[in-house]
Amino acid sequence: MNGRTLSDLVSDELVKLGLEAEGWVKGKQRSTSWCPRQSGFGTRCYAGGRKVYIVQAKMQGRLRPVTLCDVRLVTITRARAIARRVLLRAQVGESPA
């Protein structure tokens, strides 16, 4: 499983909630705050003011961060639930292909 399939897992979970997955924003300065309550889940803040929830999983020996969605779309409780499901699916090696 690689970063692309992790993105697909996130997209699947968001579609189940009736949301659209957002793509990566490249070339921006950013800072990440990791959630102390859930490993692999955090909030990323960009210099332009955009804030997104992210999930990060270790796959094939590499850490793969993936954007879940903008913080305005879902509450942090719901984002944690999405991240938990994505991380569980990634741990068992599920591939959406």
Side-chain angles (χ1 to χ4, degrees), residues 33-38 41-43 52-54 68-84:
S33 301
W34 296 105
C35 179
R37 294 175 51 189
Q38 184 172 348
F41 172 74
T43 305
V52 295
Y53 295 122
I54 64 168
L68 288 177
C69 64
D70 193 284
V71 297
R72 296 171 291 181
L73 294 178
V74 295
T75 64
I76 192 163
T77 304
R78 198 169 209 191
R80 275 193 204 108
I82 295 167
R84 186 173 27 261

mmCIF file of all heavy atoms in Angstrom, residues 33-38 41-43 52-54 68-84:
data_model
loop_
_atom_site.group_PDB
_atom_site.id
_atom_site.type_symbol
_atom_site.label_atom_id
_atom_site.label_comp_id
_atom_site.label_asym_id
_atom_site.label_seq_id
_atom_site.Cartn_x
_atom_site.Cartn_y
_atom_site.Cartn_z
ATOM 1 N N SER A 33 -0.111 20.507 13.923
ATOM 2 C CA SER A 33 -0.341 20.224 15.345
ATOM 3 C C SER A 33 -0.931 18.823 15.439
ATOM 4 O O SER A 33 -2.008 18.566 14.893
ATOM 5 C CB SER A 33 -1.321 21.228 15.945
ATOM 6 O OG SER A 33 -0.841 22.535 15.811
ATOM 7 N N TRP A 34 -0.238 17.927 16.134
ATOM 8 C CA TRP A 34 -0.707 16.548 16.259
ATOM 9 C C TRP A 34 -1.604 16.408 17.470
ATOM 10 O O TRP A 34 -1.357 16.993 18.515
ATOM 11 C CB TRP A 34 0.469 15.583 16.343
ATOM 12 C CG TRP A 34 1.267 15.605 15.083
ATOM 13 C CD1 TRP A 34 2.478 16.198 14.889
ATOM 14 C CD2 TRP A 34 0.886 15.059 13.822
ATOM 15 N NE1 TRP A 34 2.871 16.044 13.588
ATOM 16 C CE2 TRP A 34 1.919 15.351 12.910
ATOM 17 C CE3 TRP A 34 -0.228 14.358 13.384
ATOM 18 C CZ2 TRP A 34 1.859 14.952 11.578
ATOM 19 C CZ3 TRP A 34 -0.274 13.959 12.053
ATOM 20 C CH2 TRP A 34 0.757 14.250 11.165
ATOM 21 N N CYS A 35 -2.638 15.625 17.325
ATOM 22 C CA CYS A 35 -3.609 15.397 18.383
ATOM 23 C C CYS A 35 -2.994 14.487 19.450
ATOM 24 O O CYS A 35 -2.540 13.394 19.129
ATOM 25 C CB CYS A 35 -4.862 14.752 17.805
ATOM 26 S SG CYS A 35 -6.124 14.401 19.024
ATOM 27 N N PRO A 36 -2.991 14.922 20.724
ATOM 28 C CA PRO A 36 -2.446 14.063 21.781
ATOM 29 C C PRO A 36 -3.355 12.880 22.095
ATOM 30 O O PRO A 36 -2.903 11.886 22.649
ATOM 31 C CB PRO A 36 -2.336 15.006 22.984
ATOM 32 C CG PRO A 36 -3.312 16.093 22.726
ATOM 33 C CD PRO A 36 -3.419 16.228 21.229
ATOM 34 N N ARG A 37 -4.629 12.971 21.707
ATOM 35 C CA ARG A 37 -5.596 11.911 22.003
ATOM 36 C C ARG A 37 -5.599 10.800 20.968
ATOM 37 O O ARG A 37 -6.048 9.690 21.255
ATOM 38 C CB ARG A 37 -6.995 12.502 22.115
ATOM 39 C CG ARG A 37 -7.130 13.435 23.304
ATOM 40 C CD ARG A 37 -8.455 14.124 23.360
ATOM 41 N NE ARG A 37 -9.571 13.194 23.244
ATOM 42 C CZ ARG A 37 -10.819 13.569 23.088
ATOM 43 N NH1 ARG A 37 -11.106 14.854 23.033
ATOM 44 N NH2 ARG A 37 -11.779 12.685 22.990
ATOM 45 N N GLN A 38 -5.145 11.083 19.746
ATOM 46 C CA GLN A 38 -5.170 10.066 18.693
ATOM 47 C C GLN A 38 -3.910 10.141 17.846
ATOM 48 O O GLN A 38 -3.675 11.121 17.137
ATOM 49 C CB GLN A 38 -6.396 10.237 17.803
ATOM 50 C CG GLN A 38 -6.500 9.149 16.771
ATOM 51 C CD GLN A 38 -7.804 9.209 16.022
ATOM 52 O OE1 GLN A 38 -8.717 9.921 16.399
ATOM 53 N NE2 GLN A 38 -7.895 8.453 14.953
ATOM 54 N N PHE A 41 -3.224 11.616 13.810
ATOM 55 C CA PHE A 41 -4.240 12.595 13.413
ATOM 56 C C PHE A 41 -3.786 13.975 13.849
ATOM 57 O O PHE A 41 -3.255 14.159 14.944
ATOM 58 C CB PHE A 41 -5.583 12.272 14.069
ATOM 59 C CG PHE A 41 -6.630 13.338 13.855
ATOM 60 C CD1 PHE A 41 -7.235 13.486 12.629
ATOM 61 C CD2 PHE A 41 -6.988 14.183 14.878
ATOM 62 C CE1 PHE A 41 -8.195 14.470 12.420
ATOM 63 C CE2 PHE A 41 -7.944 15.168 14.686
ATOM 64 C CZ PHE A 41 -8.550 15.307 13.459
ATOM 65 N N GLY A 42 -3.979 14.973 12.983
ATOM 66 C CA GLY A 42 -3.576 16.321 13.342
ATOM 67 C C GLY A 42 -4.269 17.378 12.499
ATOM 68 O O GLY A 42 -5.080 17.083 11.624
ATOM 69 N N THR A 43 -3.915 18.629 12.789
ATOM 70 C CA THR A 43 -4.430 19.780 12.065
ATOM 71 C C THR A 43 -3.247 20.493 11.434
ATOM 72 O O THR A 43 -2.257 20.763 12.102
ATOM 73 C CB THR A 43 -5.168 20.745 13.009
ATOM 74 O OG1 THR A 43 -6.184 20.032 13.698
ATOM 75 C CG2 THR A 43 -5.792 21.891 12.246
ATOM 76 N N VAL A 52 -6.581 22.390 7.683
ATOM 77 C CA VAL A 52 -7.106 21.096 7.256
ATOM 78 C C VAL A 52 -6.786 20.042 8.308
ATOM 79 O O VAL A 52 -5.837 20.180 9.074
ATOM 80 C CB VAL A 52 -6.527 20.650 5.890
ATOM 81 C CG1 VAL A 52 -6.951 21.579 4.777
ATOM 82 C CG2 VAL A 52 -5.017 20.535 5.950
ATOM 83 N N TYR A 53 -7.608 18.997 8.339
ATOM 84 C CA TYR A 53 -7.318 17.832 9.158
ATOM 85 C C TYR A 53 -6.465 16.898 8.314
ATOM 86 O O TYR A 53 -6.694 16.751 7.119
ATOM 87 C CB TYR A 53 -8.597 17.108 9.566
ATOM 88 C CG TYR A 53 -9.495 17.910 10.466
ATOM 89 C CD1 TYR A 53 -10.805 18.195 10.098
ATOM 90 C CD2 TYR A 53 -9.046 18.375 11.700
ATOM 91 C CE1 TYR A 53 -11.635 18.924 10.925
ATOM 92 C CE2 TYR A 53 -9.877 19.112 12.527
ATOM 93 C CZ TYR A 53 -11.167 19.380 12.134
ATOM 94 O OH TYR A 53 -11.987 20.100 12.953
ATOM 95 N N ILE A 54 -5.470 16.270 8.947
ATOM 96 C CA ILE A 54 -4.639 15.313 8.230
ATOM 97 C C ILE A 54 -4.545 14.019 9.013
ATOM 98 O O ILE A 54 -4.755 13.992 10.234
ATOM 99 C CB ILE A 54 -3.217 15.851 7.942
ATOM 100 C CG1 ILE A 54 -2.444 16.100 9.231
ATOM 101 C CG2 ILE A 54 -3.261 17.099 7.103
ATOM 102 C CD1 ILE A 54 -0.967 16.345 9.014
ATOM 103 N N LEU A 68 -7.342 15.059 5.083
ATOM 104 C CA LEU A 68 -8.711 14.536 5.198
ATOM 105 C C LEU A 68 -9.685 15.522 4.577
ATOM 106 O O LEU A 68 -10.389 15.201 3.628
ATOM 107 C CB LEU A 68 -9.086 14.318 6.662
ATOM 108 C CG LEU A 68 -8.441 13.169 7.397
ATOM 109 C CD1 LEU A 68 -8.884 13.153 8.844
ATOM 110 C CD2 LEU A 68 -8.784 11.859 6.723
ATOM 111 N N CYS A 69 -9.763 16.733 5.147
ATOM 112 C CA CYS A 69 -10.673 17.752 4.632
ATOM 113 C C CYS A 69 -10.402 19.074 5.350
ATOM 114 O O CYS A 69 -9.663 19.132 6.320
ATOM 115 C CB CYS A 69 -12.128 17.333 4.820
ATOM 116 S SG CYS A 69 -12.599 17.171 6.539
ATOM 117 N N ASP A 70 -11.034 20.113 4.871
ATOM 118 C CA ASP A 70 -10.953 21.423 5.502
ATOM 119 C C ASP A 70 -11.665 21.373 6.850
ATOM 120 O O ASP A 70 -12.677 20.680 7.000
ATOM 121 C CB ASP A 70 -11.625 22.462 4.587
ATOM 122 C CG ASP A 70 -11.316 23.869 5.003
ATOM 123 O OD1 ASP A 70 -11.911 24.326 6.015
ATOM 124 O OD2 ASP A 70 -10.507 24.522 4.335
ATOM 125 N N VAL A 71 -11.154 22.115 7.839
ATOM 126 C CA VAL A 71 -11.742 22.077 9.179
ATOM 127 C C VAL A 71 -13.156 22.637 9.212
ATOM 128 O O VAL A 71 -13.916 22.346 10.130
ATOM 129 C CB VAL A 71 -10.870 22.821 10.224
ATOM 130 C CG1 VAL A 71 -9.520 22.167 10.370
ATOM 131 C CG2 VAL A 71 -10.709 24.287 9.880
ATOM 132 N N ARG A 72 -13.547 23.405 8.188
ATOM 133 C CA ARG A 72 -14.894 23.971 8.160
ATOM 134 C C ARG A 72 -15.943 22.948 7.733
ATOM 135 O O ARG A 72 -17.135 23.170 7.920
ATOM 136 C CB ARG A 72 -14.935 25.176 7.218
ATOM 137 C CG ARG A 72 -14.044 26.322 7.694
ATOM 138 C CD ARG A 72 -13.936 27.382 6.658
ATOM 139 N NE ARG A 72 -13.165 26.844 5.533
ATOM 140 C CZ ARG A 72 -12.864 27.517 4.442
ATOM 141 N NH1 ARG A 72 -13.272 28.759 4.303
ATOM 142 N NH2 ARG A 72 -12.155 26.977 3.482
ATOM 143 N N LEU A 73 -15.518 21.826 7.157
ATOM 144 C CA LEU A 73 -16.466 20.841 6.652
ATOM 145 C C LEU A 73 -17.008 19.898 7.719
ATOM 146 O O LEU A 73 -18.162 19.492 7.649
ATOM 147 C CB LEU A 73 -15.826 20.004 5.538
ATOM 148 C CG LEU A 73 -15.482 20.759 4.268
ATOM 149 C CD1 LEU A 73 -14.809 19.819 3.273
ATOM 150 C CD2 LEU A 73 -16.726 21.372 3.653
ATOM 151 N N VAL A 74 -16.157 19.520 8.677
ATOM 152 C CA VAL A 74 -16.587 18.568 9.712
ATOM 153 C C VAL A 74 -16.051 19.013 11.071
ATOM 154 O O VAL A 74 -15.057 19.735 11.150
ATOM 155 C CB VAL A 74 -16.113 17.124 9.415
ATOM 156 C CG1 VAL A 74 -16.743 16.579 8.170
ATOM 157 C CG2 VAL A 74 -14.617 17.035 9.340
ATOM 158 N N THR A 75 -16.696 18.547 12.125
ATOM 159 C CA THR A 75 -16.211 18.837 13.479
ATOM 160 C C THR A 75 -14.971 17.991 13.752
ATOM 161 O O THR A 75 -14.727 16.990 13.072
ATOM 162 C CB THR A 75 -17.291 18.493 14.527
ATOM 163 O OG1 THR A 75 -17.529 17.090 14.482
ATOM 164 C CG2 THR A 75 -18.572 19.268 14.279
ATOM 165 N N ILE A 76 -14.230 18.376 14.767
ATOM 166 C CA ILE A 76 -13.021 17.624 15.101
ATOM 167 C C ILE A 76 -13.363 16.209 15.568
ATOM 168 O O ILE A 76 -12.634 15.259 15.295
ATOM 169 C CB ILE A 76 -12.149 18.373 16.134
ATOM 170 C CG1 ILE A 76 -10.768 17.712 16.216
ATOM 171 C CG2 ILE A 76 -12.838 18.433 17.482
ATOM 172 C CD1 ILE A 76 -9.706 18.554 16.859
ATOM 173 N N THR A 77 -14.499 16.042 16.229
ATOM 174 C CA THR A 77 -14.920 14.714 16.669
ATOM 175 C C THR A 77 -15.164 13.802 15.473
ATOM 176 O O THR A 77 -14.728 12.650 15.448
ATOM 177 C CB THR A 77 -16.204 14.820 17.524
ATOM 178 O OG1 THR A 77 -15.951 15.706 18.618
ATOM 179 C CG2 THR A 77 -16.637 13.470 18.034
ATOM 180 N N ARG A 78 -15.842 14.324 14.480
ATOM 181 C CA ARG A 78 -16.118 13.536 13.273
ATOM 182 C C ARG A 78 -14.828 13.274 12.491
ATOM 183 O O ARG A 78 -14.641 12.185 11.943
ATOM 184 C CB ARG A 78 -17.120 14.287 12.408
ATOM 185 C CG ARG A 78 -17.783 13.406 11.411
ATOM 186 C CD ARG A 78 -18.940 14.156 10.788
ATOM 187 N NE ARG A 78 -19.947 13.184 10.399
ATOM 188 C CZ ARG A 78 -20.974 13.480 9.656
ATOM 189 N NH1 ARG A 78 -21.174 14.714 9.280
ATOM 190 N NH2 ARG A 78 -21.835 12.554 9.326
ATOM 191 N N ALA A 79 -13.936 14.266 12.435
ATOM 192 C CA ALA A 79 -12.654 14.083 11.743
ATOM 193 C C ALA A 79 -11.813 13.010 12.429
ATOM 194 O O ALA A 79 -11.160 12.203 11.764
ATOM 195 C CB ALA A 79 -11.896 15.399 11.691
ATOM 196 N N ARG A 80 -11.833 12.978 13.776
ATOM 197 C CA ARG A 80 -11.115 11.924 14.507
ATOM 198 C C ARG A 80 -11.678 10.548 14.165
ATOM 199 O O ARG A 80 -10.949 9.582 14.016
ATOM 200 C CB ARG A 80 -11.210 12.150 16.013
ATOM 201 C CG ARG A 80 -10.184 13.067 16.557
ATOM 202 C CD ARG A 80 -10.161 12.971 18.089
ATOM 203 N NE ARG A 80 -9.610 14.192 18.626
ATOM 204 C CZ ARG A 80 -10.295 15.128 19.264
ATOM 205 N NH1 ARG A 80 -11.586 14.984 19.482
ATOM 206 N NH2 ARG A 80 -9.699 16.209 19.698
ATOM 207 N N ALA A 81 -12.989 10.453 14.053
ATOM 208 C CA ALA A 81 -13.629 9.180 13.714
ATOM 209 C C ALA A 81 -13.220 8.723 12.308
ATOM 210 O O ALA A 81 -12.935 7.542 12.090
ATOM 211 C CB ALA A 81 -15.145 9.298 13.815
ATOM 212 N N ILE A 82 -13.184 9.659 11.363
ATOM 213 C CA ILE A 82 -12.744 9.337 9.996
ATOM 214 C C ILE A 82 -11.296 8.862 10.037
ATOM 215 O O ILE A 82 -10.950 7.841 9.439
ATOM 216 C CB ILE A 82 -12.884 10.555 9.065
ATOM 217 C CG1 ILE A 82 -14.339 10.942 8.888
ATOM 218 C CG2 ILE A 82 -12.244 10.270 7.707
ATOM 219 C CD1 ILE A 82 -14.541 12.295 8.240
ATOM 220 N N ALA A 83 -10.445 9.606 10.748
ATOM 221 C CA ALA A 83 -9.026 9.249 10.843
ATOM 222 C C ALA A 83 -8.848 7.873 11.471
ATOM 223 O O ALA A 83 -8.035 7.073 11.004
ATOM 224 C CB ALA A 83 -8.277 10.301 11.649
ATOM 225 N N ARG A 84 -9.609 7.587 12.504
ATOM 226 C CA ARG A 84 -9.517 6.280 13.166
ATOM 227 C C ARG A 84 -9.837 5.151 12.192
ATOM 228 O O ARG A 84 -9.132 4.150 12.105
ATOM 229 C CB ARG A 84 -10.453 6.248 14.380
ATOM 230 C CG ARG A 84 -10.343 5.020 15.217
ATOM 231 C CD ARG A 84 -11.150 5.077 16.523
ATOM 232 N NE ARG A 84 -12.336 5.918 16.551
ATOM 233 C CZ ARG A 84 -12.386 7.157 17.073
ATOM 234 N NH1 ARG A 84 -11.318 7.698 17.613
ATOM 235 N NH2 ARG A 84 -13.508 7.839 17.055
#
